[in-house]
Amino acid sequence: MTVERTLAIIKPDAIAKGVAGQIVTRIEEAGFKILAAKLIHMSPEDAAGFYIVHKALPFYRSLCAFMTQGPCLPMVLEGDHAIQRWRELMGATDPAKAAPGTIRKAFAASIEANVVHGSDSPTSAAFEISYFFSSLELCPRSNRGD
Ligand code: CMP
């Protein structure tokens, strides 16, 4: 058993389409523990900082604009091999390549409007979780070692 934490985001397109609840249900049914969650509307600076690793890529500006078009729902998920398992549940970045049964296959419209995000490694999970959440926001208290 390798318990990990990962950052998931239900993106603005999913909130606008009203499928956030269905995505949360899939997360819960897959056995993840939701340690923290908050609905936020990112500023351009927030999005630019979050996706800083993609700064040199041609879709960076468009991606940042997309992520600021409405509220999104970042969450911290915990579970056995959570980083890889959440990526499997999301499906491929491009929904046209996503496997049947995945969240992106079910709900995503395009490679940009792809409804969910997930950390791709322990290093990025640590950065991304701390980008949105302080240690005091990770619930319940027992998970923080109090
Ligand atoms: P995400 O998992 O949030 O990580 C980076 C995001 O960049 C990705 O999901 C997509 O939304 C977006 N992305 C990746 N590749 C492309 C691309 N070729 N064109 C537009 N957006 C992309």
Side-chain angles (χ1 to χ4, degrees), residues 9 11 50-51 53-54 57-60 62-64 66-67 87 90-91 93-94 104 110-120 128:
I9 304 177
K11 294 185 178 184
F50 180 72
Y51 280 120
V53 294
H54 297 316
L57 297 177
F59 56 82
Y60 178 68
S62 177
L63 172 63
C64 291
F66 166 74
M67 290 297 289
R87 292 181 68 80
M90 288 194 299
T93 304
D94 181 353
R104 285 172 170 155
S110 70
I111 195 168
E112 180 172 86
N114 65 355
V115 296
V116 282
H117 168 83
S119 308
D120 65 4
E128 293 179 357

